[in-house]
C-alpha cells in the first residue's frame, strides 16, 4: 500500500478535510454573494418569487443549496474532527464509511443544484415575466380597435397599396398590391 497508513492516514484525512472545508467555505461565500445579487436583479418582488416559474425554480434551488451546505458543514465539523480525534488517540481502525456516505449524498445534492440551475437558464426571469403579464393584462382590458395599416401611393402611371396586418409588435403580414396600365411590365 502506498501513502500513510493507520494513525497517520486518519490524521491526514482529517487535516485534508478541514483544509478543503476552509477552501469550500470561501468558494460558497462567493457563490452566495453573486447569487444574491443576481436574485435581487431578477426577482423584483416577493410575490414574483412564488408566482413565477423562475421564482419557484429558484426556491427549489435554494432548498437544495441549503441541503448541500448542511452536508458540507457535517463533513467539515463532525467527520473531519472525528478523524483527527481518533488519530490523536491512537485509534487506527478509523472507518471511512461515514465519509463515503456523506460524500455521495453531497455529490447527489450538488448534481441536483446543477440540474435546477440548468432549468433556470431556460426560464423567463421573474422581472420579465411580470412585464409580460402586465402587457397581456393591459391588452386584454383595452378596446378592440382595428390597427390594420393601409396606405396608397402613386408610382408613375400605377398605384401601390401597402397593407400591414395586424400592425402590432410581433409577427405582421405585409401585402403590396400594384394596379395600373403598366402592371404587365413589373
Amino acid at each position: 500500500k502506498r501513502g500513510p497508513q493507520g494513525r497517520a492516514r486518519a490524521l491526514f484525512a482529517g487535516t485534508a478535510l478541514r483544509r478543503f472545508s476552509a477552501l469550500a467555505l470561501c468558494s460558497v461565500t462567493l457563490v452566495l454573494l453573486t447569487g444574491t445579487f443576481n436574485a435581487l436583479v431578477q426577482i423584483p418582488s416577493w410575490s414574483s418569487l412564488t408566482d413565477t416559474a423562475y421564482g419557484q425554480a429558484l426556491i427549489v434551488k435554494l432548498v437544495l443549496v441549503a441541503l448541500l451546505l448542511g452536508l458540507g458543514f457535517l463533513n467539515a465539523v463532525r467527520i473531519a474532527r472525528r478523524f483527527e480525534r481518533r488519530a490523536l488517540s491512537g485509534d487506527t481502525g478509523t472507518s471511512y464509511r461515514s465519509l463515503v456516505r456523506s460524500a455521495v449524498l453531497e455529490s447527489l445534492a450538488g448534481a441536483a443544484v446543477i440540474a435546477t440551475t440548468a432549468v433556470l437558464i431556460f426560464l423567463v426571469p421573474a422581472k420579465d415575466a411580470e412585464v409580460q403579464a402586465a402587457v397581456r393584462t393591459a391588452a386584454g382590458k383595452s378596446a378592440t380597435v382595428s390597427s390594420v395599416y393601409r396606405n396608397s401611393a402613386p408610382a408613375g402611371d400605377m398605384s401601390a397599396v401597402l397593407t400591414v396586418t395586424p400592425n402590432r409588435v410581433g409577427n405582421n403580414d405585409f401585402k403590396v398590391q400594384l394596379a395600373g396600365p403598366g402592371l404587365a411590365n413589373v
Side-chain angles (χ1 to χ4, degrees), residues 2-20:
R2 300 176 84 181
Q5 297 299 315
R7 180 178 178 206
R9 181 176 178 162
L11 187 58
F12 174 78
T15 304
L17 278 172
R18 192 171 25 83
R19 288 181 181 171
F20 175 78

Side-chain angles (χ1 to χ4, degrees), residues 7-92:
R7 180 178 178 206
R9 181 176 178 162
L11 187 58
F12 174 78
T15 304
L17 278 172
R18 192 171 25 83
R19 288 181 181 171
F20 175 78
S21 296
L23 177 63
L25 178 64
C26 293
S27 300
V28 166
T29 301
L30 182 63
V31 168
L32 287 175
L33 288 174
T34 58
T36 301
F37 175 77
N38 190 43
L40 291 172
V41 170
Q42 300 297 342
I43 308 287
S45 66
W46 286 107
S47 64
S48 61
L49 190 61
T50 57
D51 296 343
T52 63
Y54 186 90
Q56 292 165 355
L58 185 60
I59 290 171
V60 170
K61 182 179 175 183
L62 290 173
V63 168
L64 291 170
V65 166
L67 174 68
L68 187 62
L69 289 174
L71 290 170
F73 183 75
L74 175 73
N75 279 342
V77 175
R78 263 180 93 202
I79 297 174
R81 302 285 185 244
R82 185 183 312 156
F83 279 112
E84 289 176 331
R85 276 194 313 270
R86 285 184 178 173
L88 293 174
S89 69
D91 182 4
T92 58

